[in-house]
Amino acid sequence: MSLKSVKVLSLIFIIVLSACSAQNSKIVVAEFGDNEITLDEFQKAYEKNAALEKNAGDSLDSYKNFLDLYVNYRMKLRDAWVRGYYEDEDLQKELTDYKVNIGTALYYENEIIKPGIQKLYDKRKEEFKVAHIMLVPDSGKTVEDIIALGKELIQRINNGEDFAALAKEYSKDKFTNNKGGVIGYITAGDIPFPEIEDAIYATAPGSVYPEPVKSNFAYHVLKVLEKQPRRYMIRIRHIMASVMDSNEVIDTAASYKKILEVDEKLKNGGDFEELAKEYSDDKFSSKRGGDLGFIARGRMVREFEDAAFQLKVGERSPIVKTRFGYHIIEVTDEKPTPPIDEIKEELKNIYQKTRYNYDKNIFVDSLKQKAGFTIVRTTIDKILENVDSMKMGEDYWTCKIHNDFGNMPVFKLNGRDVIVDSLFNFMITKKKITRGKVGETIINNSIEEYSDELVVRDEVMNYDKVNAQFASLMDEYEKGVYLFKILDEEVWSKVNIDSAMAKNYYEKNKENFRLNDRVQYKQIQVRSDSLANVIYGELKSGADFDSVASKYTRSTIVSELVEVKNDGSLADKALELGEVGKISEPFKFKGNWVILKLIKHEPARIKTFEEARNEITGILQEQESKRLENEYIERLKKLYHPEYHYDKLAEVVKK
């Protein structure tokens, strides 16, 4: 089929779907008052319900039943609207709180986490061999001194000085400074410092990043040595000759001699798996023919890893030396990078640990810039001039700052002023300060956090207008809140089950409230049948049950009075003894050997009223709720006169 034909068929398919949807939006399957329910609306609601109900079917009867329920639901919502719930302050506050809480999580997920995961996935297709010079501020050098030194070293390297020599002289990383500063191969997500990761990805192989890059406690001069496609995972096997002999004495010569012997056997056609079993000192892998399974970078020591990842599938390395000994490595298989959906959770975990907070801060800062965020410095200066005489907590609302400056703007955001009172209320609510003095650092940090919260809140409050998923979520929640409110007013608050009603129901239905046999028993549990038989022998000879239990198990296990349910439990076994005081022969139960003694038996009987009260109350509440809801539905039907067009549903089922 030609590409043109495919496009034509695709276009026809889209037109047909659109026509069907448009047609369904005009077919009315029910009416009540001035309101209509279209087939399109009904089908969407039915499909959502079918996803929740495992036994939902597509028969005409199931369609009819659901239409009846759906019309009732829509009439309740209409009644809620008529009652003005959309103007109820408490309900609207609940909806706003839900919108902010759920919307913020969804907003961050869609705007930061999902694109962050995709970017991480794409970046992890490459890896970089990196070297660094780590510079650390100390008592002799300030941060400014270290930054200046870093810039000087970058200039010297760019002028031709040897990076390795400078790393040996200046780097404080004792693990790499004598190895040319080489860290090894790095891909996105390997290090918890996004600034360093971004610098590496922005640097061409053979080049030095133009500025010192900060980590938590140091500054780094970074050089990218190589860049290459990343291999996701390789499967390897190896044979190791340990440098440590059987007496835990280092013997490098013997180790090297052994690996040379193995290497020669392999070159002469020896079987790798058999030689690994015979010669390898790696006890973990030798019994599996040297197999280490699939590994990614970062799992092995660098010399071993570098050698392994240079091999293609089927290739074998020359002898490789590590601190553990000498190795011969072979790559037997390789896994390509899986589709993103297969490793999404793994990527999400990496992303949230390494750079989510960093990306979130940048994202929120961009929102604030777009929102015209500006700090009113003059107001902050007035606050700082008066904080010495003020202590925080509830005292704020009577202090000078509140009285004199409470209504002054402290920052501007999205065209509105945020006043001092709002900022301090945030600080008190979030417990940024308690009753200690307020300083400039606390105020500046609080302004940053409060403005972050407000700018995201502004975005979330409008997010349902641009995100269909969130709009649907909010619509469903709003309907649920109104439905709960109206059922509370019309049904649940009116349910009143008094003692007389419960007592009357009990007298008429007491046969339905029964207690099975109940037993109380003692038990001795041991692990072996031989010990159980010894114990049983002593008991049969007249020994005291508790004394024998203490002798062999330290204590007797005594049950509560428990109901027999014929489920194979110890209570069932105890009932089978028949007589109080009788002792069972040893039997196996859940891996142990058990001996029981029946100490109490209450035969099956009808429950007393007090014993059945809670159960009866639950039954009556359900019955009364159903009665009140049916009465309410009947009132709505008299008000709205619903009509049901089942014939339209029948046409759908036929199709």
Side-chain angles (χ1 to χ4, degrees):
M1 184 180 292
S2 69
L3 181 61
K4 183 177 180 181
S5 299
V6 172
K7 289 182 177 179
V8 170
L9 285 176
S10 299
L11 182 60
I12 292 172
F13 183 63
I14 292 169
I15 292 171
V16 169
L17 284 180
S18 300
C20 289
S21 180
Q23 184 179 8
N24 288 351
S25 67
K26 295 178 181 178
I27 298 173
V28 176
V29 295
E31 302 171 66
F32 63 96
D34 296 330
N35 303 276
E36 295 179 342
I37 298 173
T38 66
L39 179 57
D40 187 47
E41 177 189 347
F42 170 80
Q43 285 183 315
K44 287 177 180 176
Y46 185 84
E47 287 166 7
K48 186 177 291 185
N49 178 72
L52 299 174
E53 297 289 339
K54 293 182 179 179
N55 59 349
D58 290 332
S59 67
L60 180 57
D61 284 343
S62 63
Y63 271 41
K64 285 181 177 179
N65 291 336
F66 186 75
L67 183 60
D68 293 345
L69 294 172
Y70 190 67
V71 170
N72 292 345
Y73 165 73
R74 283 288 310 277
M75 287 192 298
K76 291 173 189 173
L77 288 179
R78 177 60 187 171
D79 194 25
W81 183 264
V82 170
R83 296 185 189 202
Y85 287 177
Y86 62 95
E87 294 178 327
D88 185 289
E89 289 185 6
D90 291 337
L91 294 182
Q92 295 311 307
K93 182 181 184 306
E94 181 180 345
L95 289 171
T96 299
D97 290 344
Y98 179 84
K99 188 173 191 177
V100 170
N101 293 331
I102 301 301
T104 299
L106 184 64
Y107 183 70
Y108 283 149
E109 179 74 22
N110 289 336
E111 304 301 320
I112 303 175
I113 296 175
K114 284 183 179 178
I117 290 173
Q118 182 64 57
K119 190 174 181 180
L120 177 65
Y121 177 76
D122 293 337
K123 289 172 72 175
R124 283 172 70 84
K125 293 176 182 177
E126 295 180 325
E127 62 184 8
F128 299 78
K129 189 174 184 180
V130 179
H132 79 143
I133 301 171
M134 186 171 79
L135 307 173
V136 182
D138 54 29
S139 58
K141 286 187 173 61
T142 64
V143 169
E144 290 74 18
D145 294 335
I146 288 297
I147 293 173
L149 175 59
K151 291 181 177 181
E152 177 193 328
L153 293 177
I154 291 169
Q155 186 62 49
R156 288 167 63 180
I157 294 164
N158 288 334
N159 288 339
E161 288 196 47
D162 182 52
F163 188 98
L166 293 175
K168 185 173 183 179
E169 181 178 355
Y170 290 99
S171 182
K172 300 300 182 182
D173 182 355
K174 62 181 180 179
F175 298 105
T176 66
N177 54 10
N178 286 320
K179 299 177 182 178
V182 178
I183 301 169
Y185 283 90
I186 289 174
T187 191
D190 281 353
I191 50 178
F193 306 112
E195 300 92 337
I196 293 179
E197 180 184 296
D198 291 346
I200 291 169
Y201 274 79
T203 304
S207 300
V208 177
Y209 191 71
E211 296 288 335
V213 184
K214 188 180 184 304
S215 64
N216 276 354
F217 54 86
Y219 287 82
H220 306 260
V221 176
L222 297 171
K223 182 176 183 179
V224 173
L225 304 173
E226 298 174 14
K227 172 185 174 182
Q228 63 188 27
R230 174 174 174 255
R231 299 173 74 179
Y232 180 68
M233 277 188 174
I234 58 173
R235 186 166 192 165
I236 60 174
R237 59 184 181 180
H238 80 136
I239 299 171
M240 182 182 82
S242 174
V243 294
M244 199 85 70
D245 65 16
S246 58
N247 296 316
E248 296 191 357
V249 175
I250 294 177
D251 191 344
T252 306
S255 173
Y256 188 62
K257 182 180 178 181
K258 181 178 181 179
I259 204 70
L260 282 175
E261 182 182 345
V262 173
D263 191 42
E264 188 64 27
K265 288 180 180 292
L266 286 169
K267 288 176 179 176
N268 291 328
D271 182 83
F272 195 104
E273 185 175 342
E274 294 304 319
L275 289 170
K277 290 178 180 178
E278 182 179 354
Y279 287 95
S280 183
D281 293 324
D282 179 2
K283 302 305 179 187
F284 172 77
S285 66
S286 61
K287 58 187 176 184
R288 298 198 309 254
D291 183 39
L292 290 170
F294 283 97
I295 66 166
R297 279 200 187 273
R299 307 281 178 84
M300 303 291 181
V301 293
R302 202 178 81 200
E303 299 87 352
F304 186 97
E305 192 174 272
D306 286 349
F309 275 87
Q310 287 176 7
L311 301 173
K312 296 177 182 177
V313 174
E315 287 186 340
R316 188 168 66 237
S317 74
I319 295 170
V320 177
K321 187 178 187 304
T322 71
R323 67 176 182 270
F324 301 106
Y326 294 93
H327 312 256
I328 296 173
I329 307 165
E330 188 174 284
V331 173
T332 60
D333 200 358
E334 181 165 2
K335 282 184 181 180
T337 301
I340 188 170
D341 287 341
E342 291 183 16
I343 53 174
K344 187 170 290 183
E345 287 306 310
E346 175 192 349
L347 291 171
K348 186 174 185 178
N349 186 46
I350 293 171
Y351 178 72
Q352 289 183 318
K353 284 182 178 178
T354 58
R355 66 175 304 138
Y356 168 67
N357 288 329
Y358 178 79
D359 288 351
K360 177 183 171 183
N361 289 337
I362 291 176
F363 179 78
V364 173
D365 283 346
S366 70
L367 292 180
K368 287 162 70 171
Q369 185 175 2
K370 185 175 69 174
F373 170 71
T374 53
I375 295 174
V376 182
R377 196 71 240 175
T378 54
T379 302
I380 295 175
D381 291 341
K382 291 181 185 297
I383 295 171
L384 293 175
E385 288 171 5
N386 291 272
V387 291
D388 288 343
S389 60
M390 182 193 107
K391 289 196 172 183
M392 279 305 300
E394 296 302 321
D395 295 341
Y396 170 76
W397 304 106
T398 59
C399 76
K400 178 178 175 60
I401 293 178
H402 163 66
N403 293 331
D404 293 355
F405 316 119
N407 288 319
M408 294 179 65
V410 70
F411 63 85
K412 298 177 182 291
L413 189 74
N414 276 324
R416 69 179 185 276
D417 292 340
V418 178
I419 61 175
V420 173
D421 277 353
S422 294
L423 174 65
F424 276 85
N425 183 61
F426 170 82
M427 293 162 70
I428 295 168
T429 303
K430 297 290 186 178
K431 300 189 186 320
K432 297 298 172 188
I433 42 178
T434 52
R435 303 187 69 81
K437 288 187 176 180
V438 181
E440 185 172 7
T441 300
I442 290 175
I443 290 174
N444 288 337
N445 290 343
S446 297
I447 288 173
E448 181 177 0
E449 188 171 339
Y450 189 33
S451 59
D452 287 353
E453 185 177 293
L454 289 180
V455 77
V456 172
R457 182 189 175 97
D458 287 348
E459 293 292 316
V460 168
M461 292 304 291
N462 293 298
Y463 197 46
D464 53 336
K465 297 180 179 63
V466 297
N467 185 279
Q469 178 191 7
F470 187 46
S472 176
L473 193 66
M474 284 305 305
D475 181 61
E476 290 298 323
Y477 187 76
E478 182 176 13
K479 290 173 180 175
V481 167
Y482 294 161
L483 194 63
F484 184 91
K485 173 76 171 174
I486 207 160
L487 287 176
D488 184 53
E489 290 182 354
E490 290 293 336
V491 179
W492 302 323
S493 63
K494 295 180 180 179
V495 173
N496 181 25
I497 308 300
D498 58 30
S499 295
M501 289 174 63
K503 184 72 173 177
N504 183 52
Y505 186 87
Y506 172 75
E507 293 299 333
K508 292 180 179 179
N509 299 278
K510 64 172 63 176
E511 286 293 333
N512 297 328
F513 302 98
R514 303 189 67 85
L515 279 174
N516 292 334
D517 288 275
R518 293 191 295 171
V519 294
Q520 188 175 19
Y521 54 86
K522 294 180 179 180
Q523 60 171 300
I524 299 172
Q525 288 200 23
V526 293
R527 291 191 176 275
S528 70
D529 57 343
S530 58
L531 179 57
N533 286 323
V534 170
I535 295 171
Y536 183 64
E538 292 188 18
L539 293 171
K540 290 292 285 182
S541 299
D544 179 70
F545 194 93
D546 292 345
S547 299
V548 173
S550 299
K551 177 180 176 182
Y552 291 102
T553 65
R554 296 186 180 180
S555 63
T556 309
I557 303 173
V558 184
S559 76
E560 300 291 331
L561 191 64
V562 292
E563 191 172 5
V564 176
K565 297 183 178 179
N566 299 314
D567 57 359
S569 66
L570 291 178
D572 295 351
K573 297 287 187 181
L575 180 64
E576 290 173 6
L577 293 173
E579 299 176 15
V580 171
K582 192 172 180 181
I583 296 170
S584 73
E585 294 183 2
F587 62 91
K588 200 162 188 181
F589 184 79
K590 295 184 177 179
N592 288 332
W593 288 88
V594 181
I595 299 171
L596 297 180
K597 180 179 180 180
L598 182 61
I599 59 175
K600 189 174 184 180
H601 172 215
E602 288 190 2
R605 61 175 173 81
I606 293 173
K607 292 180 180 178
T608 66
F609 173 67
E610 287 303 322
E611 288 171 334
R613 181 193 287 270
N614 289 340
E615 193 176 348
I616 291 168
T617 301
I619 293 170
L620 291 176
Q621 284 178 336
E622 185 176 350
Q623 291 178 354
E624 186 68 1
S625 295
K626 192 170 292 186
R627 182 187 68 79
L628 289 167
E629 185 171 2
N630 287 337
E631 287 181 358
Y632 172 52
I633 293 295
E634 289 304 314
R635 293 202 305 274
L636 291 177
K637 286 181 178 179
K638 289 178 182 178
L639 178 64
Y640 290 113
H641 305 289
E643 297 178 19
Y644 308 87
H645 305 308
Y646 297 127
D647 55 320
K648 303 297 183 183
L649 299 179
E651 292 177 13
V652 174
V653 173
K654 287 178 184 178
K655 292 178 182 178

